Amino acid sequence: MGTLKPSTIRIGRRYRASRLEDNYDAVVIGSGIGGLTTAALLSDLGWKVCVLEQHYTAGGYTHSYDRNGYEWDVGVHYIGDVGAKTRTRMMFDYLSGGKLKWAPMDDEYDRFYVGDKTFCAKAGKQQFRDNLISQFPAEEQAIDRYMDLLAQVGKGLTAYSMNKLLKPWQRVVAWPYLKLKIPALLFRNTYEVLSELTSDQDLIAVICGQWGDMGLPPKRSAFMVHAMIARHYLYGGFYPVGGSWKIAETIIPKIQKTGGEVFTYALVKQIVLQGQQVTGVEMADGHHIKCNCVISSAGIDNTFCRLLPEEAVNEAGYQPLLKRVQPSMAHLGVYIGLQETAEQLGLPKTNFWIYPGNDSDAAVDGFMKDPEAPFPVVYISFPSAKDPDYERRHPGTATIEIVAPAPLEWFEKWRGTTWGKRGDDYEAFKAELGERLMQYLYEKLPQLEGKVDYYEVSTPLSTEYFCAYQYGELYGLDHDPVRLQQNWLGPRTRFKGLWLTGQDVLTCGVTGAMMAGLLTTSAIIGMRKSGTLLKRIFN
Ligand SMILES: Cc1cc2nc3c(=O)[nH]c(=O)nc-3n(C[C@H](O)[C@H](O)[C@H](O)COP(=O)(O)OP(=O)(O)OC[C@H]3O[C@@H](n4cnc5c(N)ncnc54)[C@H](O)[C@@H]3O)c2cc1C
């Protein structure tokens, strides 16, 4: 393989110990949307915040990269709930000072290929329902009951988030009330809930057609997360104009305004403690940054298994808790460039979800046992078609992205090797996987055969290298019913001055991690000041 040219998209400032100041009010580990949100909100209250990101560019899973004249996103394909003045939209507007713009996808934002049948989801609550009924006319009653369940979950979510915000003693006091507000439905198994409504397996497969958005098929996931995602996209999908890197780019100025900074190439080696009190962080270059408020957005695994001293984690009683959560599935990515525009190629603003049949759980099991079995899900997205600004930046070209699961074990033998230099056998294996996934694309869009100019494949090892997820996991922790009932997964920790944020605190997704940023900020500043902040954001 020839040497890969590094990406030119760089957001944030390169870390040097000499560029640090000595009086930060807070240090944030990781510059994903969770970390950036917390940093920006604290900065807005006058805090001076230092964000430390190990990657060469800021944004975590919202970063983009370019190569050979093309540009791709690694962890953002569509975001819901931003087409009207919703809470999600108000948060993005507040954080970006109104600079982040959104482009709607097609009315048919998701298309589901289930075996040899094709279904879709359409934007708008009523249209979503009517469209489902038009595809399953005999299931009107079940579909209406399903829509009611989505509404029920919606009502329970505020109480669920409030519960995360409370101190343990407050939770004890508030629990009799919260218990009434958080329906047990939230923690039930998705498939079980749906099979009480209908026995039509195709309908269940279509209702669960977005399971790839949280990485667990219906028999393993919690209904709460299924419903959150379904509700999130009910009014359609939207794409950040200019590419997903615009998210970090538009938020960072808020952090810099009060003297803070977002440093890249800034690997944190350790969270430093004195007893149970946080006193700062130690960088990979040995430099100490003193600060008694440290916020980790690096995920539970990184925070508790890599950044905190093992002894302290044990003493604080975290070991048995950590056993209750697992990493989400690892994934492959294919990043494709074409020398014609999306319009010329007839690329839609619709995501494709390709399933071998209507039993995704069986398909996942089959695939884990036999790597030659069909991929249990293949997701195809058309970023340049969705981005009205793409043509200006990269005239005459188009891009496509494919995501599919892949067990980390397949790549075990190359662990510890360096990116770009993992060897010919690794490249050959990647080429084989890439070829397999490209066939899914050509089958659905045969006009693309012979039109692809360039493509490259990422593996769970790429995710580990660039995004610091040691298991190549897509979405942090798995969203099973047990994980969602872990009260310790919240902004607070048992270490004084250490806070958590990001996708492991609430749920995955850009919005889930952003809302975790708001929750963490509220926990840090306290209820009274939060009231003022909330008024400012949601005015
Ligand atoms: C392939 C894929 C597709 C997705 N598609 C969508 C989508 O279409 N819509 C959607 O809403 N969501 C999507 N998601 C999920 C979404 O991107 C994530 O849930 C969200 O961005 C996570 O944000 P975060 O802040 O929690 O973590 P991250 O964005 O992962 O940020 C954590 C950061 O911490 C840094 N870090 C870790 N350890 C250290 C250390 N020791 N020192 C310094 N820095 C460190 C990492 O480098 C990383 O940048 C997708 C994810 C993937 C992987």
Side-chain angles (χ1 to χ4, degrees):
M1 186 185 78
T3 316
L4 288 176
K5 266 193 160 176
S7 168
T8 61
I9 303 176
R10 304 288 167 115
I11 309 295
R13 187 172 185 216
R14 193 177 180 131
Y15 165 80
R16 299 254 185 278
S18 59
R19 291 179 178 167
L20 291 167
E21 302 202 5
D22 55 9
N23 55 348
Y24 293 111
D25 298 308
V27 164
V28 176
I29 307 171
S31 69
I33 184 70
L36 288 180
T37 301
T38 315
L41 295 180
L42 288 175
S43 301
D44 213 39
L45 296 166
W47 292 42
K48 185 162 151 183
V49 186
C50 173
V51 181
L52 301 164
E53 168 57 52
Q54 58 88 31
H55 195 8
Y56 61 64
T57 189
Y61 270 149
T62 68
H63 85 267
S64 310
Y65 76 100
D66 64 4
R67 191 147 31 244
N68 290 14
Y70 303 103
E71 182 187 313
W72 301 278
D73 309 308
V74 302
V76 179
H77 299 114
Y78 62 148
I79 288 175
D81 233 8
V82 288
K85 209 176 168 206
T86 59
R87 290 194 160 231
T88 305
R89 176 61 187 265
M90 285 191 268
M91 271 292 284
F92 278 118
D93 284 351
Y94 189 78
L95 293 169
S96 72
K99 295 221 165 61
L100 189 60
K101 303 285 179 211
W102 299 95
M105 292 170 66
D106 288 341
D107 232 20
E108 178 196 357
Y109 55 95
D110 273 329
R111 187 178 303 167
F112 311 111
Y113 296 96
V114 180
D116 54 8
K117 298 178 191 158
T118 307
F119 305 94
C120 70
K122 287 204 174 158
K125 195 166 159 188
Q126 188 65 37
Q127 216 190 329
F128 176 89
R129 170 205 175 266
D130 295 348
N131 173 59
L132 262 187
I133 293 172
S134 74
Q135 296 172 100
F136 298 93
E139 296 292 328
E140 181 168 350
Q141 221 186 344
I143 292 165
D144 279 333
R145 282 175 64 204
Y146 170 67
M147 299 301 289
D148 287 346
L149 291 185
L150 292 189
Q152 265 185 49
V153 171
K155 283 189 197 142
L157 289 176
T158 309
Y160 179 83
S161 306
M162 276 303 293
N163 181 41
K164 295 256 171 194
L165 197 52
L166 300 176
K167 294 177 182 163
W169 70 263
Q170 291 170 324
R171 189 170 293 130
V172 172
V173 176
W175 188 241
Y177 167 78
L178 286 172
K179 202 168 62 175
L180 302 174
K181 297 278 171 194
I182 306 176
L185 171 71
L186 266 63
F187 311 116
R188 290 191 62 204
N189 170 289
T190 304
Y191 183 81
E192 266 173 38
V193 172
L194 297 177
S195 52
E196 285 167 10
L197 306 180
T198 177
S199 57
D200 186 325
Q201 299 305 305
D202 280 348
L203 175 58
I204 294 182
V206 171
I207 285 178
C208 296
Q210 298 161 334
W211 71 257
D213 282 333
M214 46 102 164
L216 272 184
K219 287 180 185 155
R220 291 159 224 207
S221 67
F223 188 68
M224 172 186 142
V225 183
H226 160 84
M228 271 181 70
I229 291 170
R231 286 170 55 84
H232 181 64
Y233 293 116
L234 215 47
Y235 294 91
F238 295 79
Y239 184 83
V241 176
S244 69
W245 58 280
K246 287 283 166 191
I247 297 177
E249 196 203 48
T250 53
I251 296 176
I252 290 174
K254 223 185 210 343
I255 300 166
Q256 291 167 329
K257 220 170 171 178
T258 44
E261 190 51 278
V262 177
F263 289 108
T264 55
Y265 294 98
L267 175 66
V268 176
K269 194 173 138 205
Q270 214 191 135
I271 296 168
V272 184
L273 297 172
Q274 207 165 48
Q276 300 279 79
Q277 163 77 54
V278 167
T279 57
V281 296
E282 184 191 342
M283 303 300 291
D285 65 4
H287 192 84
H288 276 76
I289 304 176
K290 285 195 189 132
C291 190
N292 56 14
C293 177
V294 172
I295 300 140
S296 176
S297 77
I300 290 298
D301 180 63
N302 280 324
T303 307
F304 288 92
C305 305
R306 281 168 192 85
L307 290 168
L308 281 164
E310 195 181 337
E311 230 173 74
V313 171
N314 288 342
E315 268 173 32
Y318 276 106
Q319 273 314 333
L321 302 179
L322 290 167
K323 290 199 180 101
R324 296 182 197 162
V325 293
Q326 353 272 333
S328 55
M329 61 168 54
H331 71 285
L332 299 169
V334 187
Y335 305 89
I336 303 160
L338 302 103
Q339 282 293 325
E340 277 181 45
T341 65
E343 204 179 321
Q344 286 163 337
L345 293 162
L347 304 182
K349 296 180 202 161
T350 306
N351 306 311
F352 290 1
W353 295 92
I354 305 168
Y355 297 105
N358 62 18
D359 187 346
S360 283
D361 287 84
V364 168
D365 290 340
F367 180 70
M368 292 302 169
K369 276 191 222 122
D370 174 12
E372 302 300 319
F375 281 93
V377 53
V378 174
Y379 172 84
I380 306 180
S381 150
F382 307 94
S384 66
K386 288 181 281 192
D387 181 3
D389 189 54
Y390 192 87
E391 176 68 8
R392 184 188 63 79
R393 302 196 308 283
H394 304 279
T397 71
T399 54
I400 301 174
E401 291 155 1
I402 305 181
V403 183
L408 180 64
E409 298 82 75
W410 290 2
F411 303 91
E412 213 50 76
K413 71 171 175 175
W414 295 288
R415 264 190 127 167
T417 55
T418 307
W419 177 79
K421 295 179 190 144
R422 301 197 200 273
D424 291 343
D425 52 352
Y426 176 74
E427 292 306 326
F429 186 43
K430 275 205 324 181
E432 195 187 300
L433 292 167
E435 200 41 52
R436 260 177 85 182
L437 288 169
M438 290 299 283
Q439 291 314 314
Y440 285 81
L441 175 67
Y442 294 139
E443 197 201 305
K444 299 302 172 216
L445 297 174
Q447 75 269 28
L448 300 183
E449 272 202 79
K451 295 272 170 92
V452 170
D453 169 52
Y454 176 79
Y455 75 83
E456 61 185 49
V457 178
S458 75
T459 74
L461 299 185
S462 325
T463 307
E464 180 195 13
Y465 181 76
F466 291 113
C467 300
Y469 285 99
Q470 311 298 320
Y471 305 101
E473 58 268 41
L474 262 166
Y475 298 124
L477 299 173
D478 246 351
H479 292 71
D480 56 71
V482 174
R483 172 246 163 118
L484 291 162
Q485 293 173 85
Q486 302 300 311
N487 283 334
W488 63 279
L489 293 177
R492 299 173 199 282
T493 71
R494 294 174 184 178
F495 301 101
K496 196 155 181 260
L498 177 65
W499 307 85
L500 304 174
T501 197
Q503 60 185 346
D504 288 349
V505 161
L506 275 177
T507 66
C508 71
V510 173
T511 303
M514 176 174 74
M515 290 306 179
L518 174 60
L519 209 63
T520 304
T521 309
S522 299
I524 295 172
I525 62 177
M527 296 276 190
R528 213 157 38 87
K529 285 191 186 154
S530 299
T532 316
L533 179 67
L534 294 179
K535 269 192 212 137
R536 268 202 236 168
I537 303 172
F538 304 119
N539 61 16

